[in-house]
Amino acid sequence: MIGIDIGGTKCAVSIGYETNGALTVEKKESIPTDLSVSPYEMLERLAALLDGMTKEYDAIGISCGGPLNTLTGEILSPPNLPGWDHVEVVRFFKEKYHCPVILQNDANACALAEWRYGAGKGCENMAFFTFGTGLGAGLILNGRLYDGACGMAGEAGHMRLADHGPVGYGKAGSFEGFCSGGGLKQLGQTYARERLQMGKTVSFCQSTDELEAIDAKKIAEFAKAGNADALEVYEICGEKLGRGLSIIIDLLNPDRIVLGSIFTRCEELLRPAMEKVLQKETLALSRETCRILPAALGEQIGDYAALSLAAEALR
């Protein structure tokens, strides 16, 4: 199986195989994404990389940030790939390698990977949230990936949770605005600026000159050391996480919700506030049926994601 991960700074090709329900990544190579050349020139470079790695092509899975059209197999100008508009990536690889090819956005691909090989293994209904730089989501419903009428299902990060708040996904107060690395950075900066202007001290920011240096990782370091102000920032994030997941639980009734990236590293900072909101907002039976777990694949999830799509193509 061939996995191709197309990103704004680099692209990777992985080769792997599935045995007895387990996925093995045999080989992986990367090249920088060159935005100075045409998208099809970059696809040619990826094909050359692939040709140097193997001569066997059973199926190809392609993971890329959206927006995409999964029905036509096109990349539609993702923010991190300017100029990649209506790029027929599926047709390109099908014509070159004459094998099944699947294109999906990276959140859906990661959802498949966690469902088949990670924290979602064995369940029939699962929601996966990237919870990294942004908040993307992938849905597994009734034992299959659900991507909606035009491949745009699962854009939960765009839901507005408050009239005002940090901006994510182009919307103030959105789920992504509160629950992402970018959102935590904004929450921390606002919190610190307000207190510094009132003459108060802030553990993770000594002066307004340090505001730009605030990020989710720095706030987490001070929160884990027991600083009340940093803990408060993560509590705000945890509360909004609970509010967003309450909608998902009541609407979709999943067996599991799997949370990646920041949640896997900071679960102890987020879960108490999240659970408090879930207890208040969700239907009891739906809540009790749903397990909320950190992602299990860790740093390998990107490699597993594209290969999981190839596995789906073979199925």
Side-chain angles (χ1 to χ4, degrees):
M1 300 186 300
I2 311 298
I4 298 175
D5 185 11
I6 299 176
T9 56
K10 68 176 182 178
C11 297
V13 175
S14 301
I15 298 172
Y17 56 90
E18 188 181 50
T19 309
N20 297 324
L23 184 65
T24 300
V25 181
E26 189 175 70
K27 194 184 299 184
K28 175 186 173 181
E29 293 188 23
S30 303
I31 56 173
T33 304
D34 188 348
L35 296 175
S36 70
V37 302
S38 75
Y40 290 99
E41 170 60 27
M42 270 307 301
L43 297 184
E44 290 286 359
R45 293 181 190 181
L46 281 169
L49 181 65
L50 175 54
D51 292 339
M53 296 169 69
T54 184
K55 299 300 179 187
E56 298 181 41
Y57 319 102
D58 292 329
I60 297 174
I62 304 169
S63 171
C64 181
L68 315 169
N69 188 324
T70 56
L71 299 177
T72 62
E74 295 174 278
I75 297 172
L76 304 175
S77 284
N80 63 340
L81 291 169
W84 286 56
D85 192 29
H86 292 280
V87 178
E88 297 178 285
V89 63
V90 168
R91 180 184 62 80
F92 175 89
F93 284 103
K94 271 188 175 179
E95 289 181 356
K96 189 171 284 286
Y97 297 110
H98 307 289
C99 69
V101 181
I102 286 183
L103 169 70
Q104 273 292 350
N105 72 58
D106 47 6
N108 282 354
C110 288
L112 269 175
E114 282 289 343
W115 177 51
R116 291 288 189 191
Y117 312 110
K121 192 172 183 179
C123 73
E124 285 291 300
N125 299 281
M126 184 195 90
F128 169 81
F129 291 84
T130 56
F131 205 158
T133 304
L135 187 76
L139 304 174
I140 305 295
L141 301 179
N142 294 327
R144 61 181 298 175
L145 178 67
Y146 178 77
D147 58 3
C150 64
M152 292 292 286
E155 299 295 351
H158 197 244
M159 298 190 306
R160 198 188 300 275
L161 300 183
D163 289 337
H164 305 285
V167 177
Y169 217 137
K171 184 184 283 186
S174 67
F175 197 178
E176 181 173 292
F178 284 106
C179 299
S180 64
L184 277 160
K185 178 184 178 77
Q186 293 176 67
L187 283 171
Q189 288 175 332
T190 300
Y191 184 99
R193 185 180 289 107
E194 288 176 350
R195 278 149 186 78
L196 290 169
Q197 288 179 353
M198 290 189 292
K200 298 180 179 181
T201 59
V202 180
S203 67
F204 54 88
C205 182
Q206 302 304 308
S207 72
T208 54
D209 293 337
E210 296 181 6
L211 286 171
E212 278 304 312
I214 294 173
D215 58 18
K217 182 179 179 182
K218 184 175 184 179
I219 302 167
E221 288 172 357
F222 280 84
K224 289 178 180 180
N227 292 281
D229 49 9
L231 284 165
E232 188 176 341
V233 173
Y234 266 84
E235 184 178 4
I236 294 168
C237 180
E239 288 173 353
K240 297 303 184 185
L241 178 62
R243 189 165 296 277
L245 295 187
S246 294
I247 297 170
I248 300 299
I249 289 171
D250 282 347
L251 184 65
L252 299 179
N253 188 207
D255 307 288
R256 287 177 217 171
I257 292 175
V258 178
L259 301 167
S261 197
I262 291 171
F263 189 83
T264 64
R265 297 189 293 270
C266 302
E267 180 179 358
E268 72 277 20
L269 303 178
L270 295 163
R271 188 177 281 276
M274 177 193 79
E275 293 284 1
K276 186 176 180 180
V277 175
L278 291 174
Q279 289 289 330
K280 178 183 176 183
E281 295 293 336
T282 56
L283 293 167
L285 185 57
S286 296
R287 182 179 66 249
E288 291 161 6
T289 303
C290 180
R291 296 174 63 200
I292 300 176
L293 302 171
L297 298 178
E299 298 304 315
Q300 278 193 297
I301 193 166
D303 304 331
Y304 273 66
L307 287 169
S308 296
L309 296 174
E312 289 301 301
L314 287 175
R315 290 187 181 92

